Amino acid sequence: MSEKYWLLKTEPETFSIDDLKNSPKKTTTWEGVRNYQARNMIRDEMSRGDLVFIYHSVKDPGIAGIGKIVREGYPDHFAWDPTHKYFDPKTKQESPTWFMIDVQLVKKFRSPLSLSFLREQPGLEGMELLRKGSRLSVQPVRKKEWDLIVDLAE
DNA sequence: GCCAACGTTGGC
DNA sequence: GCCAACGTTGGC
């Protein structure tokens, strides 16, 4: 069973790779995904040990580094907290709608790979991230794309 | 700030 | 089940 590769989006003004770096054990919960397609990947497909790119969206968009899934999908309890911004009144404790994972920092890139730089790279044309209108906050990454990007970062 | 792309909601 | 209206995401 080989590890799989993913990309996780975050808005750095909400939670950045530096926040992850400064977290205890460099590990954080990754909650708040409220999209069914992304939920399905978190709940059904991600495994402990899979690697993820940490992608910063909106402000200086680009891949900032690498993380590792250290806990597989489990119910996102923030959905049941009425005071929390991720509260979802429609989901029930008996049948959780939303799931979260725990992610540990593996490395922060010396300099992030910007979206515009990635667009220029031969071999990445088919990447979900680069598709016009791509909004998924959790995306699968092909092994060849993963390897190419890791090479570019070094 | 603009706006294209996309997901969700709700009337019918 | 269709689809218009609306809200959100996110690049630029």
Side-chain angles (χ1 to χ4, degrees):
Chain A
M1 189 63 184
S2 66
E3 68 200 355
K4 297 182 292 296
Y5 304 97
W6 308 93
L7 180 145
L8 301 177
K9 279 188 197 172
T10 178
E11 288 192 37
E13 290 180 332
T14 304
F15 188 87
S16 75
I17 196 161
D18 287 324
D19 295 323
L20 176 55
K21 191 175 179 180
N22 295 328
S23 298
K25 299 182 183 172
K26 299 187 180 186
T27 300
T28 188
T29 56
W30 203 278
E31 69 274 8
V33 171
R34 296 292 179 267
N35 168 285
Y36 286 99
Q37 216 180 326
R39 186 281 309 273
N40 291 346
M41 288 187 267
I42 288 178
R43 188 188 58 184
D44 306 332
E45 296 181 43
M46 285 182 163
S47 306
R48 185 182 160 90
D50 285 357
L51 296 172
V52 299
F53 285 134
I54 308 290
Y55 176 80
H56 286 170
S57 68
V58 180
K59 184 171 180 285
D60 300 327
I63 297 176
I66 296 174
K68 182 170 68 174
I69 295 173
V70 293
R71 183 174 174 191
E72 291 186 4
Y74 59 104
D76 182 343
H77 57 267
F78 293 93
W80 298 313
D81 177 356
T83 67
H84 200 276
K85 68 169 176 166
Y86 292 136
F87 176 61
D88 175 5
K90 294 196 296 289
T91 174
K92 303 274 190 306
Q93 301 247 6
E94 315 83 82
S95 55
T97 307
W98 307 117
F99 287 74
M100 59 198 275
I101 50 177
D102 291 355
V103 176
Q104 182 172 48
L105 182 69
V106 171
K107 80 150 63 162
K108 179 188 171 183
F109 291 158
R110 272 191 298 269
S111 57
L113 301 178
S114 74
L115 187 60
S116 56
F117 174 77
L118 293 171
R119 286 193 192 286
E120 292 169 358
Q121 305 309 314
L124 297 182
E125 296 86 354
M127 210 180 165
E128 168 66 19
L129 180 70
L130 306 182
R131 194 178 58 80
K132 186 178 166 69
S134 169
R135 292 194 345 187
L136 266 183
S137 62
V138 178
Q139 305 176 1
V141 175
R142 297 179 187 91
K143 175 158 174 51
K144 63 164 188 146
E145 295 164 348
W146 180 273
D147 291 342
L148 210 157
I149 290 168
V150 169
D151 281 348
L152 291 168
E154 283 163 358

